[in-house]
Amino acid sequence: MRNFRRIEIRPAVPDDVMMIASVLVNTWRATFRGIISDAYLDAMKVEDQAIGHARRMRIPGAFLLVAVDLSEDRVVGFANYGRARSMPPAFDRELYELYLLPEFHGAGIGAALVRTVAAHCRELQASSLFAWVLKGNPNRAFYERLGARAVGEGRVSVGRESLEQIAYRWDDLVKLSGAGNVAT
């Protein structure tokens, strides 16, 4: 029997930074083992990630949402997004990071985070959203199930490694946000 939890998606606050950092480190270690070197993953520190996310929270035009398990009052996932950094201007907004603790995969929380991002991007008058995803990421199909299509390839440096990545794009933020759905 599945244990259903009450999840709240809300803007991150400074008190969330350590939990956000913990989600990132734990998710990277679980997801990217065998893709990124063990030495790099094992050297990741929650404290370092917390410093970086505290800085990101202060960047104008960048946003950070958290998914909070209300039964335990803890952050179990997050999405970081804002202005496109590396693609042509036709890409209005970029989903920089989307991470969810592995034990919460398959519960619809990741999709809810992406839909919330899309709804906010629509409010910002954006018409599209894209995300870079490591080519070896075993969760790439998640983006495809949400209607994203591969539109480009590139490389990213992680430690001393250069890894392939794929740009996924959503052209229909109305559909992605669920705004076009009618409850029955």
Side-chain angles (χ1 to χ4, degrees), residues 7 23 27 67-69 74-78 99-102 104 109:
I7 302 293
V23 167
T27 302
V68 179
D69 178 348
R74 74 175 175 136
V75 172
V76 298
F78 70 93
Y99 296 110
L100 183 65
L101 291 173
F104 290 87
I109 299 166

Side-chain angles (χ1 to χ4, degrees), residues 88-106:
F91 294 91
D92 291 302
R93 297 283 185 237
E94 178 178 354
L95 178 60
Y96 309 135
E97 299 175 293
L98 177 67
Y99 296 110
L100 183 65
L101 291 173
E103 62 265 32
F104 290 87
H105 287 191

Side-chain angles (χ1 to χ4, degrees), residues 33-115:
R33 189 83 53 194
I35 299 168
I36 296 173
S37 77
D38 288 350
Y40 184 89
L41 294 172
D42 294 340
M44 291 179 76
K45 293 186 171 103
V46 170
E47 296 79 12
D48 294 340
Q49 294 301 321
I51 291 167
H53 280 88
R55 281 190 205 121
R56 284 184 198 100
M57 289 178 82
R58 295 189 301 268
I59 296 173
F63 305 93
L64 190 59
L65 296 174
V66 290
V68 179
D69 178 348
L70 296 175
S71 66
E72 298 179 19
D73 193 31
R74 74 175 175 136
V75 172
V76 298
F78 70 93
N80 182 221
Y81 62 102
R83 292 184 184 103
R85 300 173 294 184
S86 60
M87 294 293 280
F91 294 91
D92 291 302
R93 297 283 185 237
E94 178 178 354
L95 178 60
Y96 309 135
E97 299 175 293
L98 177 67
Y99 296 110
L100 183 65
L101 291 173
E103 62 265 32
F104 290 87
H105 287 191
I109 299 166
L113 278 165
V114 172
R115 286 188 179 97

